[in-house]
Structures are given as C-alpha cells and as structure tokens.
Amino acid sequence: MKIAVLGTGMVGQALAGRLADLGHQVTVGTRDVAATLATTTPDGMGNPPYAAWAAGHPQVRLAAFADAAAGAELLVNATSGAVSIAALRAAGADNLAGKILIDLANPLDFGNGFPPTLFVKDTDSLGEQIQAAFPQLRVVKALNTLTAALMVEPKALAGGDHSVFVSGNDAEAKKTVTGILTSFGHTDVVDLGDITTARGTELLLPLWLRLMGALDTPLFNLKVVR
Amino acid sequence: MKIAVLGTGMVGQALAGRLADLGHQVTVGTRDVAATLATTTPDGMGNPPYAAWAAGHPQVRLAAFADAAAGAELLVNATSGAVSIAALRAAGADNLAGKILIDLANPLDFGNGFPPTLFVKDTDSLGEQIQAAFPQLRVVKALNTLTAALMVEPKALAGGDHSVFVSGNDAEAKKTVTGILTSFGHTDVVDLGDITTARGTELLLPLWLRLMGALDTPLFNLKVVR
C-alpha cells in the first residue's frame, strides 16, 4: 500500500520504518522538508534527528505534507496532538478525501508541566475533532495507548499477549486498520465502536503516564482480560 | 478489623458481604437507616433493595453514617461520587481523623445521558477532593477500575490474572489496603504513587464504560503487562 506517515518524530519514525519493512511504499510527511533535514540535534526526549534515522531507511521518502498525502492511499497521523489539525490542513482536504487516517495522536498539553494534561477530553476528543474537520476522511483512532516501540513490535512484550483498540465510524476502514495492526503482530484488536469512543482511549493517557512513572519504563501495555 | 462501608448500593453490598465473610466486623453506613430499610423496590440498575440483601447477611449491621464511622478502624467509600463528600461530612470529620478510607467512588455525572461524563478530571480528582476536605483521613483510591463482583472476587475472572491500583499519600495506609485487596484474591496491586495519581484511574472510567459496551459485559478487567 502507498502510505503517508505525517510526523517525523519518534512515533512517525517507528511507524514509517515498520511499514516499509512490511513492504509498503512509505512517504513521511513534514511541514518543511529542508528544516526537517537540517535538524542535527536530538529532540527534547533525546531521540536522534530525522536525518540520522532516514540515513538508515533509504526506501522511505520525505515530502511536504500535501505531497505525501496526495500520493497516499492511507495516512498515519503521527504528529503531536496540538498540531495535528494544522498538519492535516496543510496536507489538504482534497488530498485526504475518501482515504483512511490512522490517528495515533493524543491531545497532550505540556503547558502545565509533567505529567501533561489533555486539551480536549471526556465530552469530545481529538479523534472526533479531526473527523469533524475532515468529514470525508475515514478516521480510525488506534495505537494511541502504547509506546511507539510496542505499537509496531507488540511481540517484543509478553509475546504480544496484550490489547489495542480501534475507534471509528467506518467499518471497512476499521477492518483495513485492524489488518495493519495484525501485520505488526497485534493479536487482540478491540473494536470499541464509533469515533466518539476515542474519548475512552485518549483518556487512558493520564493513567498510562502515571504507570510509566510507577513502573519506570514505557515498555508496558494493557490487556483486556475477559 | 472493624470496618464501616459507606453506601448501601450494589458496590457497598459487595464489599460489606465479602469483608464480613473474611471475618471483619462490618457496619454499613447510610444517610437514613429507616428510609434504607423501607425501600422495597430494586434500584435503577435492577439490583435488589438493601433490606433483601441484609436478610441474607445478618452479621452486617446498618447504621447512620456517623454511627458507622465512629466505631470503625477503617472505612470504605462505596457511595456515588456525586454524594461522597456529603456522606463523609455526615460521617463527621472527628469520626474520620487518623483512619484509612478506601475510596472506590468515581466522579460520574449522569446529567448528559449514557455513557456518563466526569464532574472532575485530569487537573483534579475525586480522591484528591476527599483528601483535601478531610486532611486527617488517610485516603487510598482503589478498586474504582472494575465492577463490584470482581473487586471482591477477582479469581472469578481468569484465575485473578489482572491488575488493580492504589493511589494515596500514606505508605502505611496503602500497605494496609493492599493487604485487604490481597485477601480478596488480587495478585497484582500496582502502587501508582500519591493521591494525585487517582486522576489516572478515575479517567479510566470513560474507556471502561465503552469496553463494557463493546464486550457486552462488565465482567472484564485490565492487566498491566510488563
């Protein structure tokens, strides 16, 4: 599949690399290609700059948001929640119409220190805001409940015996996304329902952040035991 | 131990019954003893009235909040979140001072239909509000992340292979509560940290409610896989 991964950070790199390894034709989308390639210092979390990652992934193309989106059959939103809608506007509604978007982003607000709070919650969600802003996009909220390394390599933890979720209004889109998650190694993909159920998974972040503190690692996930 | 369970609904009944079975001396606290005993119809969720439950549990005493709290060494808040602080005020700050409170309540607001939203979230929590209102009470948020039947009989699901959480400022109180949870059959009690971490577990409710819908049962729980 031709896939555009919007976002050049750790999450975007993890998704782009894994999708390329699985044989997809991947383009990473960014606001400013030259600025992305010119960055030579690690990000705030200590992750290497995009150019260093890209050197090891020559099959992944870097392009401006609109260019990346235009050529894609499916998109991944791996931008920060605070800039996701702006990034999608830059991609262009016409380039998104009818396509599936896997929305990984969380509406984290770092303005009050750590742990971050959420800038939309409970009565609305970022997933819904994206769906409302781009009615022709088929938004599937997924993978926003675990760390990037486990999003794409779930079998690295307990042989993959844990759960992920999909939320979205389009059953066929959720089926396609579930297929991609399964190709990553996920064995328990729980369909929560329509895009409003993204409120549930986005609100998991406050617990996730505190579990990361208590366990002193992001390498954990939840299993729905039933 | 002498334990007061505040709240006569399904959650209070489950806790009171299980604690009594384990040999504790249990008093259930209510706002109005006569009114509680006079109720003959099921509650809004179809649960039998308190009197019907009490007939099968003669060893459990019913008393007004203050009476129940005065004689207790440890308390359980099994009231609805919306009335929890009022119930504790009725119990009396003097009757609570120095004691441990296991706070099971969630700040659910049913004013907007189903699923309920939360009336405090993310930048504060019901657990913190209770701790702030009663500084001498040793509040431990626990068991607010699973259905009542599994709070007290976790081994009924997957042999007990799932997780619960404790949040609180007092290490000794968390140790005592962890002991009670272990006596119920819980094998994985995760200490999240101080009472502010109750924000995490209270915010799990929106996901829990949607999982209940997707799975069509409340008989599930989460396991922290790490």
Side-chain angles (χ1 to χ4, degrees), chain A residues 22-66:
Chain A
L22 288 169
H24 298 287
Q25 190 176 323
V26 179
T27 303
V28 169
T30 187
R31 192 175 54 79
D32 182 331
V33 171
T36 297
L37 293 176
T39 302
T40 55
T41 51
D43 71 12
M45 309 284 276
N47 302 299
Y50 184 83
W53 178 86
H57 297 80
Q59 77 278 40
V60 175
R61 194 168 72 95
L62 182 68
F65 285 135

Short mmCIF file of all heavy atoms in Angstrom, two decimals, chain A residues 22-66:
data_model
loop_
_atom_site.label_atom_id
_atom_site.label_comp_id
_atom_site.label_asym_id
_atom_site.label_seq_id
_atom_site.Cartn_x
_atom_site.Cartn_y
_atom_site.Cartn_z
N LEU A 22 7.54 -3.95 6.10
CA LEU A 22 6.46 -4.88 5.72
C LEU A 22 6.13 -4.78 4.23
O LEU A 22 5.19 -5.41 3.76
CB LEU A 22 5.21 -4.61 6.57
CG LEU A 22 5.31 -5.04 8.04
CD1 LEU A 22 4.14 -4.48 8.85
CD2 LEU A 22 5.36 -6.57 8.16
N GLY A 23 6.88 -3.94 3.51
CA GLY A 23 6.72 -3.89 2.05
C GLY A 23 5.86 -2.76 1.53
O GLY A 23 5.61 -2.67 0.32
N HIS A 24 5.37 -1.90 2.43
CA HIS A 24 4.58 -0.76 1.96
C HIS A 24 5.49 0.32 1.37
O HIS A 24 6.67 0.41 1.72
CB HIS A 24 3.74 -0.19 3.11
CG HIS A 24 2.75 -1.17 3.66
ND1 HIS A 24 1.60 -1.53 2.98
CD2 HIS A 24 2.74 -1.89 4.82
CE1 HIS A 24 0.93 -2.43 3.70
NE2 HIS A 24 1.60 -2.67 4.82
N GLN A 25 4.91 1.13 0.52
CA GLN A 25 5.64 2.25 -0.08
C GLN A 25 5.36 3.48 0.77
O GLN A 25 4.26 4.04 0.72
CB GLN A 25 5.14 2.44 -1.52
CG GLN A 25 5.97 3.40 -2.34
CD GLN A 25 5.46 3.45 -3.78
OE1 GLN A 25 5.04 2.43 -4.36
NE2 GLN A 25 5.46 4.64 -4.36
N VAL A 26 6.33 3.87 1.56
CA VAL A 26 6.08 4.85 2.63
C VAL A 26 6.71 6.20 2.32
O VAL A 26 7.89 6.28 1.96
CB VAL A 26 6.63 4.33 3.98
CG1 VAL A 26 6.40 5.37 5.08
CG2 VAL A 26 5.98 3.00 4.33
N THR A 27 5.91 7.25 2.47
CA THR A 27 6.41 8.62 2.43
C THR A 27 6.14 9.27 3.78
O THR A 27 5.02 9.19 4.29
CB THR A 27 5.72 9.44 1.33
OG1 THR A 27 5.91 8.77 0.07
CG2 THR A 27 6.28 10.85 1.26
N VAL A 28 7.15 9.88 4.36
CA VAL A 28 6.95 10.63 5.60
C VAL A 28 6.64 12.08 5.23
O VAL A 28 7.34 12.67 4.40
CB VAL A 28 8.19 10.54 6.51
CG1 VAL A 28 8.08 11.53 7.67
CG2 VAL A 28 8.35 9.12 7.03
N GLY A 29 5.60 12.61 5.84
CA GLY A 29 5.21 13.99 5.57
C GLY A 29 5.67 14.92 6.68
O GLY A 29 5.63 14.56 7.86
N THR A 30 6.11 16.10 6.27
CA THR A 30 6.58 17.09 7.24
C THR A 30 6.15 18.48 6.79
O THR A 30 5.79 18.68 5.62
CB THR A 30 8.11 17.01 7.38
OG1 THR A 30 8.53 17.87 8.45
CG2 THR A 30 8.81 17.44 6.09
N ARG A 31 6.17 19.42 7.71
CA ARG A 31 5.78 20.80 7.38
C ARG A 31 6.79 21.43 6.42
O ARG A 31 6.43 22.11 5.48
CB ARG A 31 5.69 21.60 8.69
CG ARG A 31 5.03 22.97 8.58
CD ARG A 31 4.88 23.62 9.95
NE ARG A 31 6.15 23.68 10.67
CZ ARG A 31 7.10 24.59 10.44
NH1 ARG A 31 6.92 25.53 9.53
NH2 ARG A 31 8.23 24.56 11.12
N ASP A 32 8.07 21.16 6.71
CA ASP A 32 9.14 21.85 5.97
C ASP A 32 10.28 20.86 5.79
O ASP A 32 11.04 20.58 6.71
CB ASP A 32 9.58 23.07 6.79
CG ASP A 32 10.67 23.89 6.11
OD1 ASP A 32 11.46 23.32 5.34
OD2 ASP A 32 10.73 25.10 6.39
N VAL A 33 10.40 20.33 4.58
CA VAL A 33 11.39 19.29 4.30
C VAL A 33 12.81 19.76 4.62
O VAL A 33 13.58 19.06 5.28
CB VAL A 33 11.29 18.82 2.83
CG1 VAL A 33 12.46 17.90 2.47
CG2 VAL A 33 9.97 18.11 2.59
N ALA A 34 13.14 20.95 4.16
CA ALA A 34 14.50 21.45 4.36
C ALA A 34 14.82 21.59 5.85
O ALA A 34 15.90 21.21 6.31
CB ALA A 34 14.68 22.79 3.64
N ALA A 35 13.86 22.13 6.61
CA ALA A 35 14.08 22.31 8.05
C ALA A 35 14.22 20.96 8.75
O ALA A 35 15.05 20.80 9.65
CB ALA A 35 12.92 23.11 8.66
N THR A 36 13.41 19.99 8.35
CA THR A 36 13.50 18.66 8.96
C THR A 36 14.87 18.05 8.72
O THR A 36 15.49 17.50 9.64
CB THR A 36 12.40 17.75 8.38
OG1 THR A 36 11.13 18.29 8.73
CG2 THR A 36 12.52 16.33 8.92
N LEU A 37 15.36 18.17 7.49
CA LEU A 37 16.67 17.57 7.16
C LEU A 37 17.83 18.35 7.77
O LEU A 37 18.90 17.80 8.00
CB LEU A 37 16.83 17.47 5.64
CG LEU A 37 15.88 16.47 4.97
CD1 LEU A 37 16.04 16.51 3.46
CD2 LEU A 37 16.12 15.05 5.49
N ALA A 38 17.61 19.64 8.03
CA ALA A 38 18.68 20.48 8.58
C ALA A 38 18.87 20.28 10.08
O ALA A 38 19.91 20.65 10.64
CB ALA A 38 18.38 21.95 8.30
N THR A 39 17.88 19.67 10.73
CA THR A 39 17.99 19.47 12.18
C THR A 39 19.05 18.43 12.47
O THR A 39 19.03 17.32 11.92
CB THR A 39 16.63 19.01 12.76
OG1 THR A 39 15.66 20.02 12.45
CG2 THR A 39 16.71 18.79 14.26
N THR A 40 19.99 18.79 13.32
CA THR A 40 21.10 17.87 13.60
C THR A 40 21.18 17.47 15.07
O THR A 40 22.03 16.67 15.45
CB THR A 40 22.45 18.51 13.19
OG1 THR A 40 22.55 19.77 13.88
CG2 THR A 40 22.53 18.72 11.69
N THR A 41 20.29 18.04 15.87
CA THR A 41 20.33 17.73 17.31
C THR A 41 19.15 16.84 17.70
O THR A 41 18.10 16.87 17.06
CB THR A 41 20.27 19.03 18.13
OG1 THR A 41 19.17 19.81 17.67
CG2 THR A 41 21.55 19.83 17.96
N PRO A 42 19.32 16.02 18.73
CA PRO A 42 18.22 15.17 19.20
C PRO A 42 17.03 16.03 19.65
O PRO A 42 17.20 17.21 20.00
CB PRO A 42 18.83 14.42 20.38
CG PRO A 42 20.30 14.51 20.20
CD PRO A 42 20.55 15.81 19.52
N ASP A 43 15.83 15.44 19.65
CA ASP A 43 14.65 16.17 20.12
C ASP A 43 14.66 16.25 21.65
O ASP A 43 15.61 15.79 22.31
CB ASP A 43 13.37 15.54 19.58
CG ASP A 43 13.05 14.19 20.21
OD1 ASP A 43 13.69 13.81 21.22
OD2 ASP A 43 12.16 13.50 19.70
N GLY A 44 13.62 16.84 22.22
CA GLY A 44 13.55 17.04 23.66
C GLY A 44 13.58 15.76 24.46
O GLY A 44 13.91 15.76 25.65
N MET A 45 13.22 14.64 23.83
CA MET A 45 13.23 13.35 24.51
C MET A 45 14.53 12.59 24.26
O MET A 45 14.66 11.43 24.67
CB MET A 45 12.05 12.49 24.03
CG MET A 45 10.70 13.19 24.07
SD MET A 45 10.04 13.28 25.74
CE MET A 45 9.27 11.64 25.85
N GLY A 46 15.48 13.21 23.56
CA GLY A 46 16.75 12.55 23.30
C GLY A 46 16.77 11.65 22.08
O GLY A 46 17.74 10.93 21.84
N ASN A 47 15.69 11.69 21.28
CA ASN A 47 15.65 10.87 20.07
C ASN A 47 16.50 11.52 18.97
O ASN A 47 16.49 12.74 18.83
CB ASN A 47 14.21 10.72 19.58
CG ASN A 47 13.34 10.10 20.64
OD1 ASN A 47 13.57 8.97 21.06
ND2 ASN A 47 12.35 10.85 21.11
N PRO A 48 17.18 10.71 18.17
CA PRO A 48 18.04 11.26 17.11
C PRO A 48 17.21 12.05 16.09
O PRO A 48 16.03 11.79 15.90
CB PRO A 48 18.67 10.02 16.48
CG PRO A 48 17.87 8.86 16.93
CD PRO A 48 17.22 9.24 18.21
N PRO A 49 17.86 13.01 15.42
CA PRO A 49 17.14 13.81 14.41
C PRO A 49 16.71 12.95 13.22
O PRO A 49 17.29 11.88 12.99
CB PRO A 49 18.17 14.86 14.00
CG PRO A 49 19.49 14.27 14.35
CD PRO A 49 19.25 13.40 15.55
N TYR A 50 15.74 13.45 12.48
CA TYR A 50 15.17 12.68 11.37
C TYR A 50 16.24 12.23 10.37
O TYR A 50 16.22 11.08 9.91
CB TYR A 50 14.08 13.48 10.66
CG TYR A 50 13.42 12.66 9.59
CD1 TYR A 50 12.40 11.77 9.92
CD2 TYR A 50 13.85 12.73 8.27
CE1 TYR A 50 11.82 10.97 8.94
CE2 TYR A 50 13.27 11.94 7.28
CZ TYR A 50 12.25 11.06 7.63
OH TYR A 50 11.69 10.26 6.67
N ALA A 51 17.15 13.15 10.05
CA ALA A 51 18.14 12.83 9.01
C ALA A 51 18.97 11.60 9.38
O ALA A 51 19.29 10.77 8.52
CB ALA A 51 19.06 14.03 8.77
N ALA A 52 19.28 11.46 10.67
CA ALA A 52 20.05 10.29 11.11
C ALA A 52 19.24 9.01 10.93
O ALA A 52 19.76 7.99 10.48
CB ALA A 52 20.45 10.47 12.58
N TRP A 53 17.96 9.10 11.28
CA TRP A 53 17.09 7.93 11.08
C TRP A 53 16.95 7.62 9.60
O TRP A 53 17.02 6.46 9.18
CB TRP A 53 15.71 8.19 11.72
CG TRP A 53 14.76 7.06 11.52
CD1 TRP A 53 14.64 5.95 12.30
CD2 TRP A 53 13.82 6.91 10.45
NE1 TRP A 53 13.67 5.10 11.78
CE2 TRP A 53 13.16 5.68 10.65
CE3 TRP A 53 13.48 7.69 9.35
CZ2 TRP A 53 12.16 5.22 9.78
CZ3 TRP A 53 12.49 7.23 8.47
CH2 TRP A 53 11.85 6.01 8.70
N ALA A 54 16.75 8.66 8.79
CA ALA A 54 16.48 8.48 7.36
C ALA A 54 17.68 7.83 6.65
O ALA A 54 17.49 7.08 5.69
CB ALA A 54 16.15 9.83 6.71
N ALA A 55 18.88 8.10 7.13
CA ALA A 55 20.07 7.52 6.51
C ALA A 55 20.01 5.99 6.55
O ALA A 55 20.53 5.31 5.66
CB ALA A 55 21.33 8.02 7.21
N GLY A 56 19.37 5.46 7.56
CA GLY A 56 19.23 4.01 7.68
C GLY A 56 17.98 3.46 7.01
O GLY A 56 17.75 2.25 7.04
N HIS A 57 17.17 4.34 6.45
CA HIS A 57 15.91 3.93 5.81
C HIS A 57 15.77 4.61 4.45
O HIS A 57 14.85 5.39 4.22
CB HIS A 57 14.71 4.27 6.71
CG HIS A 57 14.73 3.55 8.02
ND1 HIS A 57 15.51 3.97 9.08
CD2 HIS A 57 14.11 2.43 8.43
CE1 HIS A 57 15.34 3.13 10.10
NE2 HIS A 57 14.50 2.19 9.73
N PRO A 58 16.69 4.28 3.52
CA PRO A 58 16.70 4.99 2.22
C PRO A 58 15.43 4.75 1.40
O PRO A 58 15.13 5.54 0.50
CB PRO A 58 17.94 4.41 1.53
CG PRO A 58 18.17 3.09 2.20
CD PRO A 58 17.74 3.26 3.61
N GLN A 59 14.68 3.70 1.71
CA GLN A 59 13.48 3.43 0.92
C GLN A 59 12.31 4.33 1.32
O GLN A 59 11.27 4.34 0.64
CB GLN A 59 13.10 1.94 1.02
CG GLN A 59 12.42 1.50 2.32
CD GLN A 59 13.37 1.22 3.48
OE1 GLN A 59 14.36 1.94 3.70
NE2 GLN A 59 13.06 0.21 4.25
N VAL A 60 12.45 5.08 2.43
CA VAL A 60 11.37 5.97 2.89
C VAL A 60 11.64 7.37 2.37
O VAL A 60 12.70 7.96 2.64
CB VAL A 60 11.28 5.97 4.43
CG1 VAL A 60 10.23 6.97 4.91
CG2 VAL A 60 10.96 4.56 4.95
N ARG A 61 10.68 7.90 1.65
CA ARG A 61 10.81 9.23 1.06
C ARG A 61 10.33 10.28 2.07
O ARG A 61 9.43 9.99 2.88
CB ARG A 61 9.94 9.29 -0.19
CG ARG A 61 10.19 10.47 -1.11
CD ARG A 61 9.48 10.26 -2.47
NE ARG A 61 8.03 10.40 -2.36
CZ ARG A 61 7.37 11.54 -2.61
NH1 ARG A 61 8.03 12.63 -2.97
NH2 ARG A 61 6.06 11.58 -2.51
N LEU A 62 10.91 11.46 2.05
CA LEU A 62 10.43 12.58 2.87
C LEU A 62 9.81 13.62 1.94
O LEU A 62 10.39 13.93 0.89
CB LEU A 62 11.58 13.20 3.66
CG LEU A 62 11.21 14.36 4.60
CD1 LEU A 62 10.36 13.87 5.77
CD2 LEU A 62 12.47 15.07 5.12
N ALA A 63 8.65 14.14 2.29
CA ALA A 63 7.97 15.11 1.43
C ALA A 63 7.16 16.07 2.28
O ALA A 63 6.88 15.80 3.45
CB ALA A 63 7.06 14.38 0.44
N ALA A 64 6.75 17.17 1.68
CA ALA A 64 5.85 18.09 2.38
C ALA A 64 4.50 17.40 2.59
O ALA A 64 4.13 16.48 1.85
CB ALA A 64 5.67 19.36 1.55
N PHE A 65 3.77 17.84 3.61
CA PHE A 65 2.51 17.18 3.97
C PHE A 65 1.61 16.94 2.75
O PHE A 65 1.10 15.83 2.55
CB PHE A 65 1.74 18.02 5.01
CG PHE A 65 2.29 17.97 6.41
CD1 PHE A 65 2.44 19.13 7.16
CD2 PHE A 65 2.63 16.75 7.00
CE1 PHE A 65 2.92 19.08 8.47
CE2 PHE A 65 3.11 16.70 8.31
CZ PHE A 65 3.26 17.87 9.05
N ALA A 66 1.42 17.98 1.94
CA ALA A 66 0.48 17.86 0.81
C ALA A 66 0.98 16.86 -0.22
O ALA A 66 0.21 16.06 -0.76
CB ALA A 66 0.25 19.23 0.17
#
